[in-house]
Amino acid sequence: MKEQLNEIKMSYSTHYRTHSCGELRAIDAGKEVILCGWIQKIRNLGGMSFIDLRDRYGITQLTCNSETNVDLHQKVQNFGREWVIQIKGIVAERYNKNSNIPTGDIEIMLTEVTVLSVSDTPPFTIEDNSDGGDELRMKYRYLDLRREIPKNNLLFRHQLGIEIRNYMNNISFVEIETPFLVKSTPEGARDFVVPSRVNNGEFYALPQSPQTFKQLLMLSGYDRYFQIVKCFRDEDLRADRQPEFTQIDCEMSFVEQEDILNTFEGLIKHIFHKIKQIDIDPIERMSYEDAMKLYGSDKPDTRFEMQFVELNEYLQHKDFSVFNNAELIIGIVAADCGHYTRKQLDELVEFVKRPQVGASGLVYILCNEDGSFKSSVDKFYDQADLQKVATQCNAKKGDLILLMNGKKDQVREQLSQLRLEMGTRLGLRKKGTYKLLWVTDFPLLEWDEETNRFYAKHHPFTAPKPEHEALLESAPEKVNANAYDLVINGTEIGGGSIRIHNSDLQKRMFRVLGFSDEEAIYQFGFLINAFRFGAPPHGGIAFGFDRLCSVLSDYDTIRDFIAFPKNNSARDVMLDSPSTISELQLKELGLKL
Ligand code: ASP
């Protein structure tokens, strides 16, 4: 990809310039050229001045000799970094070639220079290893974007978008825009709202996704829709969340889950092939239930195994009340870690006790090379007990077994975090390796202890599996959905479902979610009513575009792939936004008397 990006050439010349700063080569020697760009660096060596001229295509060295051109040489002495200049000159092959840059075989012998714009000294160096901290670079993001790394990230994003659009277009998907000023709804995350001036006291909401619109488009007959679209969610701040982010939003009519998985497996394969030159295997599938049982997570990182083993039956027969009282005891095996020292084991105990994990402790069993065991619960379990656990876990001599216990959901979540930590410590989460997984058969609903009600696990438009539909009122917790997520290396990249396309079923769903019929009609009447006018069976999926960029580039952050991102406090430090607004605006909007 990097080479591909460097190959990008300015495809036409204008009155301002004949070439870009990235395209001249030795075969161009002798040509008279005009270039425009920013001064990256000026060096004066004796009677010679060298300027590195930069534009988005690359860097070209300009040379000026005091002997052959005194005035010009004098003039460039006053130039500073980041000035914008236009130069005329003759391409010459260099004596000292620079193999690090594509234009390194040539330089331009200057004949004319025009200053187009001067620059203050930039607040940080515009180089790969900039001396600017994160906050400063974000404040001057337009300067930061001149740097090679952010530039390549934006070009990567662009290229990915093009590949996606090409692929989708080739298989008859139509890109249709949906509105940004929509209606606030109570489900899902918090909405960003926009007060209406014309309708005082009323508010629009910014869409969390185009979900209902894309379903309505299915009703209108556009049976393959997609859109690369901004979505807005006012969620609590978490590392690497952006209040506005981009989805590749898709919907199809007359399809079953299998059709959707196949269609988008095709897209993902195409992306990996084109962007990473990797031909991926058919994507594995795992039910939500298995993912939770084996990895304690609905987005397991399957670059490494380390699956959970349930051990109640092997550990609840002795006098150890901690285990005896546990709903679930689960273990993982860290291969070849049987030599861990007390200090290393204590570190793991500390890890699980951190508030982010929240466990009360951890039990370990070291499988010694001589076939004996040493554990933190030797007081309660003899060698034969530990041998049984080791056999059940498939642990070999020299391995380490880590056990956790507690309430089922909680302990799974906790061990999942320890599993990832061990994966990282053991170097099993290798960058550049990609493991893809479809997680399927999600539960339709999720019980919330605090509010004492069911919430839709995906969203309220997801259909129950037809064979579970009858249980919707009598045993809602048993109802599964044809809902699926795509997971890459432990990151959720996309998710979707087969939708409800029938008013009655949609009404029943809202009732299960605790809506009165009136509330449901007030909030979602447009959709429920629309279903009365010939709704095709349909389903879809949405992928996180920013996240896909970062995962494919082996980055941990999505911010690096967004031209003007917000910081971790949801602020735009360049615009200094959010900000207060004037009294007059508040009055006009009906927010102040
Ligand atoms: N609209 C859903 C979301 O944003 C995705 C989908 O169901 O297609 O998660």
Side-chain angles (χ1 to χ4, degrees):
M1 189 68 194
K2 190 120 201 247
E3 285 77 61
Q4 243 169 295
L5 292 176
N6 282 335
E7 286 301 304
I8 295 175
K9 289 197 174 118
M10 196 175 68
S11 55
Y12 58 90
S13 61
T14 63
H15 285 103
Y16 260 107
R17 50 183 175 168
T18 57
H19 294 82
S20 76
C21 296
E23 69 179 292
L24 293 167
R25 301 285 185 273
I27 52 161
D28 297 305
K31 279 189 192 159
E32 177 169 80
V33 296
I34 307 175
L35 306 184
C36 290
W38 287 259
I39 296 176
Q40 168 102 2
K41 215 187 259 169
I42 306 186
R43 278 158 293 144
N44 293 309
L45 288 178
M48 300 284 281
S49 289
F50 299 95
I51 298 178
D52 284 348
L53 192 67
R54 179 191 69 235
D55 66 10
R56 81 166 235 230
Y57 306 92
I59 290 182
T60 297
Q61 177 167 293
L62 316 175
T63 314
C64 183
N65 188 331
S66 64
E67 278 173 26
T68 51
N69 203 334
V70 188
D71 293 345
L72 201 58
H73 186 260
Q74 197 60 44
K75 187 171 172 184
V76 304
Q77 301 311 307
N78 302 319
F79 291 179
R81 277 196 291 138
E82 301 307 316
W83 285 30
V84 183
I85 57 173
Q86 180 189 46
I87 64 98
K88 205 180 234 186
I90 311 291
V91 183
E93 195 163 348
R94 276 204 228 177
Y95 290 115
N96 291 329
K97 298 198 168 42
N98 176 356
S99 57
N100 295 326
I101 54 172
T103 61
D105 286 354
I106 57 106
E107 59 193 342
I108 314 285
M109 313 304 288
L110 290 182
T111 54
E112 261 178 67
V113 179
T114 311
V115 175
L116 300 176
S117 193
V118 296
S119 169
D120 288 356
T121 306
F124 50 84
T125 50
I126 315 281
E127 281 165 20
D128 283 2
N129 288 321
S130 171
D131 58 0
D134 218 37
E135 196 79 359
L136 190 64
R137 283 188 292 106
M138 287 303 139
K139 184 161 181 209
Y140 296 92
R141 179 65 165 163
Y142 47 89
L143 296 180
D144 192 37
L145 292 178
R146 288 182 190 168
R147 294 169 56 237
E148 186 80 0
I149 298 168
K151 181 193 74 183
N152 283 341
N153 288 349
L154 289 191
L155 294 182
F156 180 87
R157 183 186 176 105
H158 161 76
Q159 204 56 46
L160 183 57
I162 295 286
E163 289 303 341
I164 291 165
R165 287 199 161 95
N166 282 343
Y167 187 84
M168 299 303 275
N169 179 53
N170 282 339
I171 56 169
S172 305
F173 277 78
V174 191
E175 184 158 23
I176 302 175
E177 287 174 284
T178 50
F180 278 177
L181 294 175
V182 300
K183 183 181 166 108
S184 185
T185 60
E187 291 300 278
R190 259 184 222 101
D191 286 323
F192 281 103
V193 294
V194 180
S196 164
R197 180 183 61 78
V198 189
N199 300 288
N200 261 200
E202 295 186 310
F203 297 81
Y204 300 100
L206 301 179
Q208 296 184 25
S209 85
Q211 184 60 37
T212 49
F213 289 103
K214 66 173 172 176
Q215 291 191 240
L216 293 174
L217 286 169
M218 294 304 107
L219 236 121
S220 309
Y222 299 89
D223 61 356
R224 291 181 163 213
Y225 143 95
F226 87 107
Q227 187 182 186
I228 299 187
V229 61
K230 271 289 172 73
C231 300
F232 306 86
R233 293 184 191 173
D234 188 6
E235 286 176 309
D236 289 337
L237 301 170
R238 265 206 253 158
D240 208 33
R241 277 274 174 86
Q242 287 282 317
E244 51 179 305
F245 59 96
T246 305
Q247 283 191 344
I248 311 160
D249 190 45
C250 313
E251 197 76 4
M252 301 171 80
S253 292
F254 307 116
V255 284
E256 296 174 347
Q257 166 171 300
E258 198 57 30
D259 301 309
I260 296 186
L261 298 190
N262 288 335
T263 304
F264 292 99
E265 189 152 332
L267 170 68
I268 296 295
K269 280 192 168 145
H270 174 78
I271 291 172
F272 269 89
H273 180 77
K274 283 284 185 177
I275 301 277
K276 304 288 302 180
Q277 289 79 49
I278 294 176
D279 289 317
I280 53 168
D281 296 332
I283 301 179
E284 277 178 40
R285 298 190 189 180
M286 187 181 292
S287 69
Y288 171 84
E289 199 182 329
D290 282 350
M292 297 310 287
K293 204 174 148 87
L294 297 173
Y295 297 102
S297 164
D298 58 4
K299 43 177 188 304
D301 184 345
T302 47
R303 279 175 295 184
F304 65 110
E305 287 260 322
M306 218 185 267
Q307 291 182 346
F308 293 5
V309 185
E310 303 197 344
L311 294 161
N312 290 32
E313 128 180 37
Y314 300 90
L315 288 162
Q316 288 186 319
H317 62 296
K318 287 287 173 75
D319 215 10
F320 187 38
S321 62
V322 173
F323 276 178
N324 293 346
N325 296 334
E327 187 184 354
L328 182 65
I329 309 164
I330 33 181
I332 50 173
V333 177
D336 303 322
C337 295
H339 59 274
Y340 263 32
T341 59
R342 188 59 210 233
K343 184 164 166 276
Q344 283 172 302
L345 294 165
D346 285 346
E347 267 173 29
L348 298 181
V349 174
E350 282 317 306
F351 174 84
V352 300
K353 283 186 171 174
R354 294 181 334 162
Q356 297 92 316
V357 182
S360 50
L362 174 70
V363 168
Y364 62 82
I365 306 173
L366 296 161
C367 309
N368 298 326
E369 293 293 351
D370 65 3
S372 67
F373 300 96
K374 169 93 196 79
S375 84
S376 52
V377 284
D378 281 348
K379 237 170 59 193
F380 302 98
Y381 299 96
D382 58 30
Q383 292 287 310
D385 294 326
L386 300 176
Q387 177 63 65
K388 279 189 195 143
V389 171
T391 307
Q392 184 61 18
C393 292
N394 233 335
K396 358 177 243 11
K397 290 174 186 168
D399 288 350
L400 165 67
I401 305 172
L402 297 166
L403 304 174
M404 291 180 81
N405 59 277
K407 278 200 146 318
K408 189 172 84 181
D409 294 346
Q410 199 178 29
V411 68
R412 281 179 170 171
E413 156 76 34
Q414 291 166 344
L415 189 62
S416 157
Q417 295 199 47
L418 180 63
R419 174 181 175 272
L420 292 177
E421 170 68 15
M422 290 311 295
T424 306
R425 281 175 184 242
L426 299 175
L428 302 173
R429 305 174 75 190
K430 284 196 197 76
K431 299 224 166 195
T433 343
Y434 301 96
K435 276 284 181 195
L436 291 85
L437 180 72
W438 287 114
V439 179
T440 61
D441 304 313
F442 276 82
L444 182 73
L445 301 156
E446 190 168 42
W447 179 256
D448 181 60
E449 294 286 345
E450 256 172 51
T451 48
N452 225 13
R453 56 160 276 203
F454 280 108
Y455 282 86
K457 178 104 183 141
H458 188 45
H459 52 55
F461 317 107
T462 294
K465 276 183 187 279
E467 63 273 27
H468 292 178
E469 210 180 292
L471 299 173
L472 195 53
E473 288 80 11
S474 56
E477 70 289 347
K478 296 211 174 97
V479 178
N480 278 352
N482 283 323
Y484 31 80
D485 276 357
L486 178 70
V487 178
I488 304 184
N489 293 353
T491 299
E492 183 196 326
I493 291 293
S497 58
I498 295 296
R499 326 295 187 190
I500 297 170
H501 67 282
N502 160 304
S503 314
D504 289 336
L505 184 54
Q506 188 66 71
K507 281 194 211 154
R508 281 173 63 198
M509 179 69 177
F510 280 124
R511 271 180 227 132
V512 173
L513 295 174
F515 283 67
S516 68
D517 284 359
E518 295 71 42
E519 278 168 341
I521 290 293
Y522 174 73
Q523 295 293 344
F524 298 105
F526 63 97
L527 189 71
I528 296 171
N529 284 334
F531 287 160
R532 293 169 27 222
F533 295 95
H538 61 284
I541 191 163
F543 298 96
F545 185 48
D546 316 281
R547 182 70 61 202
L548 191 57
C549 289
S550 68
V551 166
L552 287 173
S553 305
D554 295 313
Y555 272 62
D556 295 326
T557 51
I558 61 171
R559 271 203 306 160
D560 290 287
F561 294 86
I562 297 175
F564 297 102
K566 311 267 184 291
N567 72 5
N568 282 345
S569 317
R571 294 200 71 82
D572 184 321
V573 291
M574 184 182 73
L575 301 179
D576 195 16
S577 168
S579 62
T580 52
I581 55 175
S582 72
E583 292 278 311
L584 180 67
Q585 281 173 299
L586 285 172
K587 279 187 188 148
E588 275 182 345
L589 292 167
L591 298 176
K592 199 163 192 182
L593 291 178

